[in-house]
PDB file of all heavy atoms in Angstrom:
ATOM      1  N   LYS A  19       0.831  -1.204   0.000  1.00 96.00           N
ATOM      2  CA  LYS A  19       0.000   0.000   0.000  1.00 96.00           C
ATOM      3  C   LYS A  19       0.864   1.253   0.000  1.00 96.00           C
ATOM      4  O   LYS A  19       0.552   2.247  -0.670  1.00 96.00           O
ATOM      5  CB  LYS A  19      -0.927  -0.002   1.214  1.00 96.00           C
ATOM      6  CG  LYS A  19      -1.898   1.174   1.259  1.00 96.00           C
ATOM      7  CD  LYS A  19      -2.825   1.066   2.455  1.00 96.00           C
ATOM      8  CE  LYS A  19      -3.882   2.161   2.423  1.00 96.00           C
ATOM      9  NZ  LYS A  19      -3.306   3.517   2.395  1.00 96.00           N
ATOM     10  N   ALA A  20       1.959   1.211   0.752  1.00 96.00           N
ATOM     11  CA  ALA A  20       2.858   2.358   0.804  1.00 96.00           C
ATOM     12  C   ALA A  20       3.415   2.666  -0.585  1.00 96.00           C
ATOM     13  O   ALA A  20       3.461   3.826  -1.012  1.00 96.00           O
ATOM     14  CB  ALA A  20       4.004   2.093   1.779  1.00 96.00           C
ATOM     15  N   PHE A  21       3.814   1.613  -1.314  1.00 97.00           N
ATOM     16  CA  PHE A  21       4.381   1.824  -2.645  1.00 97.00           C
ATOM     17  C   PHE A  21       3.306   2.284  -3.621  1.00 97.00           C
ATOM     18  O   PHE A  21       3.529   3.185  -4.437  1.00 97.00           O
ATOM     19  CB  PHE A  21       5.036   0.537  -3.151  1.00 97.00           C
ATOM     20  CG  PHE A  21       5.959   0.748  -4.314  1.00 97.00           C
ATOM     21  CD1 PHE A  21       7.288   1.076  -4.109  1.00 97.00           C
ATOM     22  CD2 PHE A  21       5.491   0.631  -5.621  1.00 97.00           C
ATOM     23  CE1 PHE A  21       8.143   1.296  -5.182  1.00 97.00           C
ATOM     24  CE2 PHE A  21       6.335   0.839  -6.698  1.00 97.00           C
ATOM     25  CZ  PHE A  21       7.661   1.171  -6.479  1.00 97.00           C
ATOM     26  N   SER A  22       2.118   1.680  -3.543  1.00 96.00           N
ATOM     27  CA  SER A  22       1.014   2.057  -4.434  1.00 96.00           C
ATOM     28  C   SER A  22       0.603   3.509  -4.221  1.00 96.00           C
ATOM     29  O   SER A  22       0.417   4.277  -5.179  1.00 96.00           O
ATOM     30  CB  SER A  22      -0.178   1.129  -4.195  1.00 96.00           C
ATOM     31  OG  SER A  22      -1.273   1.496  -5.001  1.00 96.00           O
ATOM     32  N   ASP A  23       0.460   3.907  -2.953  1.00 97.00           N
ATOM     33  CA  ASP A  23       0.069   5.293  -2.655  1.00 97.00           C
ATOM     34  C   ASP A  23       1.139   6.269  -3.142  1.00 97.00           C
ATOM     35  O   ASP A  23       0.820   7.338  -3.680  1.00 97.00           O
ATOM     36  CB  ASP A  23      -0.148   5.464  -1.153  1.00 97.00           C
ATOM     37  CG  ASP A  23      -1.399   4.755  -0.659  1.00 97.00           C
ATOM     38  OD1 ASP A  23      -2.221   4.339  -1.491  1.00 97.00           O
ATOM     39  OD2 ASP A  23      -1.548   4.618   0.578  1.00 97.00           O
ATOM     40  N   ALA A  24       2.407   5.899  -2.949  1.00 97.00           N
ATOM     41  CA  ALA A  24       3.487   6.787  -3.375  1.00 97.00           C
ATOM     42  C   ALA A  24       3.544   6.908  -4.889  1.00 97.00           C
ATOM     43  O   ALA A  24       3.845   7.976  -5.434  1.00 97.00           O
ATOM     44  CB  ALA A  24       4.821   6.269  -2.839  1.00 97.00           C
ATOM     45  N   LEU A  25       3.236   5.802  -5.575  1.00 96.00           N
ATOM     46  CA  LEU A  25       3.234   5.838  -7.037  1.00 96.00           C
ATOM     47  C   LEU A  25       2.193   6.824  -7.544  1.00 96.00           C
ATOM     48  O   LEU A  25       2.440   7.584  -8.497  1.00 96.00           O
ATOM     49  CB  LEU A  25       2.960   4.439  -7.581  1.00 96.00           C
ATOM     50  CG  LEU A  25       3.046   4.258  -9.095  1.00 96.00           C
ATOM     51  CD1 LEU A  25       4.421   4.622  -9.612  1.00 96.00           C
ATOM     52  CD2 LEU A  25       2.701   2.823  -9.474  1.00 96.00           C
ATOM     53  N   THR A  26       1.036   6.818  -6.912  1.00 95.00           N
ATOM     54  CA  THR A  26      -0.015   7.772  -7.309  1.00 95.00           C
ATOM     55  C   THR A  26       0.344   9.191  -6.894  1.00 95.00           C
ATOM     56  O   THR A  26       0.268  10.129  -7.699  1.00 95.00           O
ATOM     57  CB  THR A  26      -1.360   7.365  -6.674  1.00 95.00           C
ATOM     58  OG1 THR A  26      -1.699   6.044  -7.095  1.00 95.00           O
ATOM     59  CG2 THR A  26      -2.456   8.334  -7.083  1.00 95.00           C
ATOM     60  N   GLU A  27       0.749   9.355  -5.649  1.00 96.00           N
ATOM     61  CA  GLU A  27       1.006  10.706  -5.126  1.00 96.00           C
ATOM     62  C   GLU A  27       2.228  11.349  -5.766  1.00 96.00           C
ATOM     63  O   GLU A  27       2.172  12.492  -6.242  1.00 96.00           O
ATOM     64  CB  GLU A  27       1.191  10.633  -3.612  1.00 96.00           C
ATOM     65  CG  GLU A  27       1.510  11.972  -2.965  1.00 96.00           C
ATOM     66  CD  GLU A  27       1.805  11.864  -1.489  1.00 96.00           C
ATOM     67  OE1 GLU A  27       1.449  10.832  -0.876  1.00 96.00           O
ATOM     68  OE2 GLU A  27       2.400  12.815  -0.932  1.00 96.00           O
ATOM     69  N   VAL A  28       3.351  10.638  -5.773  1.00 97.00           N
ATOM     70  CA  VAL A  28       4.602  11.215  -6.261  1.00 97.00           C
ATOM     71  C   VAL A  28       4.741  11.052  -7.775  1.00 97.00           C
ATOM     72  O   VAL A  28       5.121  11.991  -8.481  1.00 97.00           O
ATOM     73  CB  VAL A  28       5.808  10.578  -5.536  1.00 97.00           C
ATOM     74  CG1 VAL A  28       7.119  11.144  -6.086  1.00 97.00           C
ATOM     75  CG2 VAL A  28       5.704  10.815  -4.041  1.00 97.00           C
ATOM     76  N   GLY A  29       4.416   9.857  -8.258  1.00 97.00           N
ATOM     77  CA  GLY A  29       4.576   9.612  -9.688  1.00 97.00           C
ATOM     78  C   GLY A  29       3.780  10.574 -10.541  1.00 97.00           C
ATOM     79  O   GLY A  29       4.256  11.051 -11.585  1.00 97.00           O
ATOM     80  N   GLN A  30       2.561  10.893 -10.095  1.00 96.00           N
ATOM     81  CA  GLN A  30       1.720  11.781 -10.891  1.00 96.00           C
ATOM     82  C   GLN A  30       2.116  13.253 -10.762  1.00 96.00           C
ATOM     83  O   GLN A  30       1.621  14.078 -11.513  1.00 96.00           O
ATOM     84  CB  GLN A  30       0.249  11.574 -10.521  1.00 96.00           C
ATOM     85  CG  GLN A  30      -0.268  10.226 -11.008  1.00 96.00           C
ATOM     86  CD  GLN A  30      -1.750  10.049 -10.798  1.00 96.00           C
ATOM     87  OE1 GLN A  30      -2.391  10.790 -10.053  1.00 96.00           O
ATOM     88  NE2 GLN A  30      -2.314   9.041 -11.441  1.00 96.00           N
ATOM     89  N   ARG A  31       2.991  13.565  -9.842  1.00 97.00           N
ATOM     90  CA  ARG A  31       3.540  14.920  -9.836  1.00 97.00           C
ATOM     91  C   ARG A  31       4.483  15.099 -11.026  1.00 97.00           C
ATOM     92  O   ARG A  31       4.532  16.166 -11.638  1.00 97.00           O
ATOM     93  CB  ARG A  31       4.304  15.184  -8.544  1.00 97.00           C
ATOM     94  CG  ARG A  31       3.450  15.267  -7.294  1.00 97.00           C
ATOM     95  CD  ARG A  31       4.338  15.528  -6.102  1.00 97.00           C
ATOM     96  NE  ARG A  31       3.640  15.333  -4.843  1.00 97.00           N
ATOM     97  CZ  ARG A  31       4.228  15.245  -3.665  1.00 97.00           C
ATOM     98  NH1 ARG A  31       5.567  15.324  -3.606  1.00 97.00           N
ATOM     99  NH2 ARG A  31       3.540  15.072  -2.564  1.00 97.00           N
ATOM    100  N   TYR A  32       5.240  14.056 -11.321  1.00 98.00           N
ATOM    101  CA  TYR A  32       6.177  14.114 -12.444  1.00 98.00           C
ATOM    102  C   TYR A  32       5.466  13.880 -13.772  1.00 98.00           C
ATOM    103  O   TYR A  32       5.772  14.534 -14.775  1.00 98.00           O
ATOM    104  CB  TYR A  32       7.277  13.066 -12.262  1.00 98.00           C
ATOM    105  CG  TYR A  32       8.258  13.393 -11.170  1.00 98.00           C
ATOM    106  CD1 TYR A  32       7.995  13.044  -9.849  1.00 98.00           C
ATOM    107  CD2 TYR A  32       9.443  14.052 -11.451  1.00 98.00           C
ATOM    108  CE1 TYR A  32       8.893  13.341  -8.833  1.00 98.00           C
ATOM    109  CE2 TYR A  32      10.358  14.356 -10.445  1.00 98.00           C
ATOM    110  CZ  TYR A  32      10.076  14.002  -9.136  1.00 98.00           C
ATOM    111  OH  TYR A  32      10.970  14.311  -8.135  1.00 98.00           O
ATOM    112  N   PHE A  33       4.536  12.922 -13.766  1.00 98.00           N
ATOM    113  CA  PHE A  33       3.782  12.589 -14.981  1.00 98.00           C
ATOM    114  C   PHE A  33       2.296  12.533 -14.625  1.00 98.00           C
ATOM    115  O   PHE A  33       1.792  11.479 -14.217  1.00 98.00           O
ATOM    116  CB  PHE A  33       4.241  11.245 -15.548  1.00 98.00           C
ATOM    117  CG  PHE A  33       5.654  11.243 -16.073  1.00 98.00           C
ATOM    118  CD1 PHE A  33       6.694  10.807 -15.270  1.00 98.00           C
ATOM    119  CD2 PHE A  33       5.931  11.683 -17.362  1.00 98.00           C
ATOM    120  CE1 PHE A  33       8.000  10.809 -15.743  1.00 98.00           C
ATOM    121  CE2 PHE A  33       7.227  11.690 -17.846  1.00 98.00           C
ATOM    122  CZ  PHE A  33       8.271  11.260 -17.036  1.00 98.00           C
ATOM    123  N   PRO A  34       1.584  13.666 -14.752  1.00 97.00           N
ATOM    124  CA  PRO A  34       0.157  13.679 -14.379  1.00 97.00           C
ATOM    125  C   PRO A  34      -0.667  12.634 -15.126  1.00 97.00           C
ATOM    126  O   PRO A  34      -1.672  12.147 -14.605  1.00 97.00           O
ATOM    127  CB  PRO A  34      -0.272  15.098 -14.747  1.00 97.00           C
ATOM    128  CG  PRO A  34       0.988  15.909 -14.643  1.00 97.00           C
ATOM    129  CD  PRO A  34       2.077  15.004 -15.120  1.00 97.00           C
ATOM    130  N   SER A  35      -0.257  12.261 -16.337  1.00 96.00           N
ATOM    131  CA  SER A  35      -0.970  11.233 -17.108  1.00 96.00           C
ATOM    132  C   SER A  35      -0.252   9.891 -16.934  1.00 96.00           C
ATOM    133  O   SER A  35       0.283   9.318 -17.885  1.00 96.00           O
ATOM    134  CB  SER A  35      -1.044  11.626 -18.588  1.00 96.00           C
ATOM    135  OG  SER A  35      -1.785  12.811 -18.761  1.00 96.00           O
ATOM    136  N   LEU A  36      -0.231   9.404 -15.707  1.00 96.00           N
ATOM    137  CA  LEU A  36       0.417   8.137 -15.370  1.00 96.00           C
ATOM    138  C   LEU A  36      -0.665   7.086 -15.164  1.00 96.00           C
ATOM    139  O   LEU A  36      -1.609   7.297 -14.405  1.00 96.00           O
ATOM    140  CB  LEU A  36       1.265   8.296 -14.114  1.00 96.00           C
ATOM    141  CG  LEU A  36       2.051   7.095 -13.598  1.00 96.00           C
ATOM    142  CD1 LEU A  36       3.287   7.567 -12.813  1.00 96.00           C
ATOM    143  CD2 LEU A  36       1.194   6.207 -12.676  1.00 96.00           C
ATOM    144  N   HIS A  37      -0.534   5.948 -15.843  1.00 95.00           N
ATOM    145  CA  HIS A  37      -1.521   4.871 -15.762  1.00 95.00           C
ATOM    146  C   HIS A  37      -0.847   3.615 -15.216  1.00 95.00           C
ATOM    147  O   HIS A  37       0.139   3.152 -15.772  1.00 95.00           O
ATOM    148  CB  HIS A  37      -2.112   4.577 -17.142  1.00 95.00           C
ATOM    149  CG  HIS A  37      -2.573   5.796 -17.878  1.00 95.00           C
ATOM    150  ND1 HIS A  37      -3.719   6.483 -17.547  1.00 95.00           N
ATOM    151  CD2 HIS A  37      -2.006   6.470 -18.926  1.00 95.00           C
ATOM    152  CE1 HIS A  37      -3.860   7.515 -18.368  1.00 95.00           C
ATOM    153  NE2 HIS A  37      -2.840   7.528 -19.202  1.00 95.00           N
ATOM    154  N   VAL A  38      -1.379   3.088 -14.116  1.00 94.00           N
ATOM    155  CA  VAL A  38      -0.834   1.869 -13.529  1.00 94.00           C
ATOM    156  C   VAL A  38      -1.444   0.661 -14.231  1.00 94.00           C
ATOM    157  O   VAL A  38      -2.662   0.586 -14.409  1.00 94.00           O
ATOM    158  CB  VAL A  38      -1.118   1.806 -12.014  1.00 94.00           C
ATOM    159  CG1 VAL A  38      -0.564   0.507 -11.426  1.00 94.00           C
ATOM    160  CG2 VAL A  38      -0.509   3.007 -11.311  1.00 94.00           C
ATOM    161  N   VAL A  39      -0.619  -0.276 -14.663  1.00 91.00           N
ATOM    162  CA  VAL A  39      -1.099  -1.483 -15.332  1.00 91.00           C
ATOM    163  C   VAL A  39      -0.767  -2.699 -14.455  1.00 91.00           C
ATOM    164  O   VAL A  39       0.153  -2.628 -13.635  1.00 91.00           O
ATOM    165  CB  VAL A  39      -0.448  -1.654 -16.728  1.00 91.00           C
ATOM    166  CG1 VAL A  39      -0.910  -0.559 -17.649  1.00 91.00           C
ATOM    167  CG2 VAL A  39       1.076  -1.650 -16.649  1.00 91.00           C
ATOM    168  N   PRO A  40      -1.534  -3.800 -14.582  1.00 82.00           N
ATOM    169  CA  PRO A  40      -2.570  -4.031 -15.582  1.00 82.00           C
ATOM    170  C   PRO A  40      -3.810  -3.180 -15.354  1.00 82.00           C
ATOM    171  O   PRO A  40      -4.138  -2.832 -14.220  1.00 82.00           O
ATOM    172  CB  PRO A  40      -2.900  -5.509 -15.425  1.00 82.00           C
ATOM    173  CG  PRO A  40      -2.467  -5.873 -14.053  1.00 82.00           C
ATOM    174  CD  PRO A  40      -1.326  -4.974 -13.717  1.00 82.00           C
ATOM    175  N   SER A  41      -4.480  -2.854 -16.462  1.00 77.00           N
ATOM    176  CA  SER A  41      -5.632  -1.963 -16.396  1.00 77.00           C
ATOM    177  C   SER A  41      -6.553  -2.252 -17.573  1.00 77.00           C
ATOM    178  O   SER A  41      -6.111  -2.722 -18.621  1.00 77.00           O
ATOM    179  CB  SER A  41      -5.167  -0.503 -16.445  1.00 77.00           C
ATOM    180  OG  SER A  41      -6.254   0.377 -16.585  1.00 77.00           O
ATOM    181  N   THR A  42      -7.821  -1.971 -17.382  1.00 69.00           N
ATOM    182  CA  THR A  42      -8.791  -2.122 -18.468  1.00 69.00           C
ATOM    183  C   THR A  42      -9.123  -0.774 -19.090  1.00 69.00           C
ATOM    184  O   THR A  42     -10.011  -0.677 -19.933  1.00 69.00           O
ATOM    185  CB  THR A  42     -10.092  -2.750 -17.942  1.00 69.00           C
ATOM    186  OG1 THR A  42     -10.615  -1.955 -16.855  1.00 69.00           O
ATOM    187  CG2 THR A  42      -9.840  -4.159 -17.426  1.00 69.00           C
ATOM    188  N   THR A  43      -8.408   0.277 -18.684  1.00 77.00           N
ATOM    189  CA  THR A  43      -8.691   1.603 -19.210  1.00 77.00           C
ATOM    190  C   THR A  43      -8.407   1.664 -20.709  1.00 77.00           C
ATOM    191  O   THR A  43      -7.578   0.915 -21.238  1.00 77.00           O
ATOM    192  CB  THR A  43      -7.834   2.661 -18.479  1.00 77.00           C
ATOM    193  OG1 THR A  43      -8.094   3.940 -19.041  1.00 77.00           O
ATOM    194  CG2 THR A  43      -6.345   2.357 -18.647  1.00 77.00           C
ATOM    195  N   ASP A  44      -9.108   2.563 -21.393  1.00 85.00           N
ATOM    196  CA  ASP A  44      -8.879   2.736 -22.826  1.00 85.00           C
ATOM    197  C   ASP A  44      -7.863   3.851 -23.091  1.00 85.00           C
ATOM    198  O   ASP A  44      -7.731   4.322 -24.220  1.00 85.00           O
ATOM    199  CB  ASP A  44     -10.190   3.037 -23.559  1.00 85.00           C
ATOM    200  CG  ASP A  44     -10.882   4.305 -23.030  1.00 85.00           C
ATOM    201  OD1 ASP A  44     -10.347   4.927 -22.089  1.00 85.00           O
ATOM    202  OD2 ASP A  44     -11.937   4.665 -23.562  1.00 85.00           O
ATOM    203  N   ALA A  45      -7.143   4.252 -22.036  1.00 93.00           N
ATOM    204  CA  ALA A  45      -6.117   5.291 -22.204  1.00 93.00           C
ATOM    205  C   ALA A  45      -4.979   4.777 -23.082  1.00 93.00           C
ATOM    206  O   ALA A  45      -4.806   3.576 -23.284  1.00 93.00           O
ATOM    207  CB  ALA A  45      -5.583   5.722 -20.846  1.00 93.00           C
ATOM    208  N   ARG A  46      -4.175   5.705 -23.575  1.00 95.00           N
ATOM    209  CA  ARG A  46      -3.027   5.361 -24.413  1.00 95.00           C
ATOM    210  C   ARG A  46      -1.752   5.863 -23.746  1.00 95.00           C
ATOM    211  O   ARG A  46      -1.795   6.703 -22.859  1.00 95.00           O
ATOM    212  CB  ARG A  46      -3.191   5.923 -25.824  1.00 95.00           C
ATOM    213  CG  ARG A  46      -4.420   5.340 -26.504  1.00 95.00           C
ATOM    214  CD  ARG A  46      -4.492   5.603 -27.986  1.00 95.00           C
ATOM    215  NE  ARG A  46      -5.547   4.778 -28.558  1.00 95.00           N
ATOM    216  CZ  ARG A  46      -5.364   3.596 -29.113  1.00 95.00           C
ATOM    217  NH1 ARG A  46      -4.138   3.097 -29.185  1.00 95.00           N
ATOM    218  NH2 ARG A  46      -6.360   2.887 -29.607  1.00 95.00           N
ATOM    219  N   TYR A  47      -0.629   5.321 -24.182  1.00 97.00           N
ATOM    220  CA  TYR A  47       0.634   5.678 -23.555  1.00 97.00           C
ATOM    221  C   TYR A  47       1.714   5.860 -24.605  1.00 97.00           C
ATOM    222  O   TYR A  47       1.627   5.333 -25.727  1.00 97.00           O
ATOM    223  CB  TYR A  47       1.048   4.615 -22.543  1.00 97.00           C
ATOM    224  CG  TYR A  47       1.497   3.318 -23.164  1.00 97.00           C
ATOM    225  CD1 TYR A  47       2.856   3.060 -23.405  1.00 97.00           C
ATOM    226  CD2 TYR A  47       0.578   2.334 -23.534  1.00 97.00           C
ATOM    227  CE1 TYR A  47       3.271   1.871 -23.993  1.00 97.00           C
ATOM    228  CE2 TYR A  47       0.988   1.145 -24.113  1.00 97.00           C
ATOM    229  CZ  TYR A  47       2.340   0.917 -24.340  1.00 97.00           C
ATOM    230  OH  TYR A  47       2.746  -0.252 -24.923  1.00 97.00           O
ATOM    231  N   ALA A  48       2.760   6.594 -24.209  1.00 97.00           N
ATOM    232  CA  ALA A  48       3.921   6.805 -25.075  1.00 97.00           C
ATOM    233  C   ALA A  48       5.150   6.077 -24.541  1.00 97.00           C
ATOM    234  O   ALA A  48       6.028   5.703 -25.309  1.00 97.00           O
ATOM    235  CB  ALA A  48       4.216   8.300 -25.183  1.00 97.00           C
ATOM    236  N   LEU A  49       5.216   5.893 -23.218  1.00 98.00           N
ATOM    237  CA  LEU A  49       6.328   5.195 -22.578  1.00 98.00           C
ATOM    238  C   LEU A  49       5.774   4.141 -21.633  1.00 98.00           C
ATOM    239  O   LEU A  49       4.775   4.374 -20.937  1.00 98.00           O
ATOM    240  CB  LEU A  49       7.212   6.164 -21.784  1.00 98.00           C
ATOM    241  CG  LEU A  49       7.982   7.232 -22.565  1.00 98.00           C
ATOM    242  CD1 LEU A  49       8.686   8.169 -21.588  1.00 98.00           C
ATOM    243  CD2 LEU A  49       8.988   6.595 -23.518  1.00 98.00           C
ATOM    244  N   LEU A  50       6.440   2.985 -21.588  1.00 97.00           N
ATOM    245  CA  LEU A  50       6.071   1.924 -20.661  1.00 97.00           C
ATOM    246  C   LEU A  50       7.217   1.756 -19.668  1.00 97.00           C
ATOM    247  O   LEU A  50       8.365   1.516 -20.060  1.00 97.00           O
ATOM    248  CB  LEU A  50       5.832   0.615 -21.413  1.00 97.00           C
ATOM    249  CG  LEU A  50       5.592  -0.638 -20.554  1.00 97.00           C
ATOM    250  CD1 LEU A  50       4.377  -0.463 -19.653  1.00 97.00           C
ATOM    251  CD2 LEU A  50       5.430  -1.869 -21.450  1.00 97.00           C
ATOM    252  N   VAL A  51       6.895   1.889 -18.383  1.00 98.00           N
ATOM    253  CA  VAL A  51       7.897   1.803 -17.320  1.00 98.00           C
ATOM    254  C   VAL A  51       7.647   0.525 -16.518  1.00 98.00           C
ATOM    255  O   VAL A  51       6.551   0.307 -16.008  1.00 98.00           O
ATOM    256  CB  VAL A  51       7.830   3.028 -16.385  1.00 98.00           C
ATOM    257  CG1 VAL A  51       8.899   2.938 -15.306  1.00 98.00           C
ATOM    258  CG2 VAL A  51       7.968   4.317 -17.194  1.00 98.00           C
ATOM    259  N   ASP A  52       8.668  -0.310 -16.429  1.00 97.00           N
ATOM    260  CA  ASP A  52       8.593  -1.564 -15.678  1.00 97.00           C
ATOM    261  C   ASP A  52       9.376  -1.393 -14.383  1.00 97.00           C
ATOM    262  O   ASP A  52      10.597  -1.219 -14.403  1.00 97.00           O
ATOM    263  CB  ASP A  52       9.184  -2.699 -16.526  1.00 97.00           C
ATOM    264  CG  ASP A  52       9.190  -4.029 -15.792  1.00 97.00           C
ATOM    265  OD1 ASP A  52       8.450  -4.173 -14.800  1.00 97.00           O
ATOM    266  OD2 ASP A  52       9.947  -4.930 -16.217  1.00 97.00           O
ATOM    267  N   LEU A  53       8.681  -1.428 -13.233  1.00 97.00           N
ATOM    268  CA  LEU A  53       9.313  -1.252 -11.931  1.00 97.00           C
ATOM    269  C   LEU A  53       9.416  -2.588 -11.202  1.00 97.00           C
ATOM    270  O   LEU A  53       8.465  -3.374 -11.181  1.00 97.00           O
ATOM    271  CB  LEU A  53       8.503  -0.281 -11.064  1.00 97.00           C
ATOM    272  CG  LEU A  53       8.318   1.145 -11.589  1.00 97.00           C
ATOM    273  CD1 LEU A  53       7.534   1.975 -10.578  1.00 97.00           C
ATOM    274  CD2 LEU A  53       9.658   1.792 -11.875  1.00 97.00           C
ATOM    275  N   ASP A  54      10.559  -2.835 -10.589  1.00 94.00           N
ATOM    276  CA  ASP A  54      10.788  -4.067  -9.821  1.00 94.00           C
ATOM    277  C   ASP A  54      11.300  -3.700  -8.433  1.00 94.00           C
ATOM    278  O   ASP A  54      12.505  -3.654  -8.189  1.00 94.00           O
ATOM    279  CB  ASP A  54      11.798  -4.956 -10.549  1.00 94.00           C
ATOM    280  CG  ASP A  54      12.033  -6.281  -9.813  1.00 94.00           C
ATOM    281  OD1 ASP A  54      11.189  -6.645  -8.967  1.00 94.00           O
ATOM    282  OD2 ASP A  54      13.050  -6.940 -10.082  1.00 94.00           O
ATOM    283  N   PRO A  55      10.388  -3.421  -7.490  1.00 96.00           N
ATOM    284  CA  PRO A  55      10.809  -3.040  -6.123  1.00 96.00           C
ATOM    285  C   PRO A  55      11.205  -4.258  -5.300  1.00 96.00           C
ATOM    286  O   PRO A  55      10.560  -5.299  -5.356  1.00 96.00           O
ATOM    287  CB  PRO A  55       9.546  -2.377  -5.536  1.00 96.00           C
ATOM    288  CG  PRO A  55       8.589  -2.230  -6.687  1.00 96.00           C
ATOM    289  CD  PRO A  55       8.945  -3.292  -7.665  1.00 96.00           C
ATOM    290  N   GLN A  56      12.270  -4.126  -4.525  1.00 94.00           N
ATOM    291  CA  GLN A  56      12.722  -5.187  -3.619  1.00 94.00           C
ATOM    292  C   GLN A  56      12.988  -4.573  -2.247  1.00 94.00           C
ATOM    293  O   GLN A  56      13.741  -3.605  -2.136  1.00 94.00           O
ATOM    294  CB  GLN A  56      14.000  -5.842  -4.148  1.00 94.00           C
ATOM    295  CG  GLN A  56      13.852  -6.492  -5.513  1.00 94.00           C
ATOM    296  CD  GLN A  56      12.970  -7.725  -5.486  1.00 94.00           C
ATOM    297  OE1 GLN A  56      12.897  -8.421  -4.471  1.00 94.00           O
ATOM    298  NE2 GLN A  56      12.288  -8.002  -6.583  1.00 94.00           N
ATOM    299  N   TRP A  57      12.361  -5.167  -1.213  1.00 94.00           N
ATOM    300  CA  TRP A  57      12.516  -4.682   0.157  1.00 94.00           C
ATOM    301  C   TRP A  57      13.450  -5.605   0.931  1.00 94.00           C
ATOM    302  O   TRP A  57      13.453  -6.816   0.735  1.00 94.00           O
ATOM    303  CB  TRP A  57      11.168  -4.648   0.868  1.00 94.00           C
ATOM    304  CG  TRP A  57      10.143  -3.738   0.277  1.00 94.00           C
ATOM    305  CD1 TRP A  57       9.255  -4.042  -0.715  1.00 94.00           C
ATOM    306  CD2 TRP A  57       9.881  -2.399   0.656  1.00 94.00           C
ATOM    307  NE1 TRP A  57       8.450  -2.963  -0.976  1.00 94.00           N
ATOM    308  CE2 TRP A  57       8.803  -1.936  -0.154  1.00 94.00           C
ATOM    309  CE3 TRP A  57      10.437  -1.528   1.598  1.00 94.00           C
ATOM    310  CZ2 TRP A  57       8.282  -0.663  -0.035  1.00 94.00           C
ATOM    311  CZ3 TRP A  57       9.913  -0.247   1.711  1.00 94.00           C
ATOM    312  CH2 TRP A  57       8.857   0.177   0.905  1.00 94.00           C
ATOM    313  N   LYS A  58      14.196  -4.997   1.867  1.00 91.00           N
ATOM    314  CA  LYS A  58      15.075  -5.783   2.724  1.00 91.00           C
ATOM    315  C   LYS A  58      15.226  -5.082   4.063  1.00 91.00           C
ATOM    316  O   LYS A  58      15.400  -3.863   4.113  1.00 91.00           O
ATOM    317  CB  LYS A  58      16.451  -5.960   2.059  1.00 91.00           C
ATOM    318  CG  LYS A  58      17.388  -6.895   2.809  1.00 91.00           C
ATOM    319  CD  LYS A  58      18.697  -7.063   2.054  1.00 91.00           C
ATOM    320  CE  LYS A  58      19.638  -8.004   2.789  1.00 91.00           C
ATOM    321  NZ  LYS A  58      20.939  -8.157   2.067  1.00 91.00           N
ATOM    322  N   ARG A  59      15.153  -5.856   5.139  1.00 87.00           N
ATOM    323  CA  ARG A  59      15.349  -5.309   6.483  1.00 87.00           C
ATOM    324  C   ARG A  59      16.827  -5.387   6.841  1.00 87.00           C
ATOM    325  O   ARG A  59      17.447  -6.446   6.722  1.00 87.00           O
ATOM    326  CB  ARG A  59      14.515  -6.096   7.497  1.00 87.00           C
ATOM    327  CG  ARG A  59      14.678  -5.635   8.944  1.00 87.00           C
ATOM    328  CD  ARG A  59      14.021  -4.296   9.168  1.00 87.00           C
ATOM    329  NE  ARG A  59      14.255  -3.840  10.514  1.00 87.00           N
ATOM    330  CZ  ARG A  59      13.436  -4.057  11.540  1.00 87.00           C
ATOM    331  NH1 ARG A  59      12.329  -4.765  11.347  1.00 87.00           N
ATOM    332  NH2 ARG A  59      13.705  -3.582  12.731  1.00 87.00           N
ATOM    333  N   GLU A  60      17.413  -4.285   7.266  1.00 88.00           N
ATOM    334  CA  GLU A  60      18.814  -4.241   7.682  1.00 88.00           C
ATOM    335  C   GLU A  60      18.899  -3.550   9.044  1.00 88.00           C
ATOM    336  O   GLU A  60      18.873  -2.325   9.122  1.00 88.00           O
ATOM    337  CB  GLU A  60      19.666  -3.497   6.654  1.00 88.00           C
ATOM    338  CG  GLU A  60      19.718  -4.190   5.293  1.00 88.00           C
ATOM    339  CD  GLU A  60      20.635  -3.486   4.311  1.00 88.00           C
ATOM    340  OE1 GLU A  60      21.287  -2.493   4.711  1.00 88.00           O
ATOM    341  OE2 GLU A  60      20.690  -3.909   3.144  1.00 88.00           O
TER     342      GLU A  60
END
């Protein structure tokens, strides 16, 4: 949830037309960004 909320809150500041996939929206895109987050406790 923390990552999802941050993606919406922060990501859309940089790119207001940001669409999270998978999605059934009929929106279109120019760039596809593949994110692979990994968490670790230290």
Side-chain angles (χ1 to χ4, degrees):
K19 184 177 186 302
F21 196 87
S22 178
D23 289 347
L25 185 59
T26 301
E27 178 185 342
V28 178
Q30 290 186 345
R31 291 180 193 167
Y32 288 86
F33 293 96
S35 297
L36 181 153
H37 311 286
V38 179
V39 293
S41 171
T42 56
T43 178
D44 59 359
R46 299 193 169 265
Y47 71 95
L49 295 175
L50 173 59
V51 181
D52 178 18
L53 299 182
D54 182 18
Q56 300 291 330
W57 298 88
K58 186 177 180 181
R59 178 71 184 267
E60 296 184 4

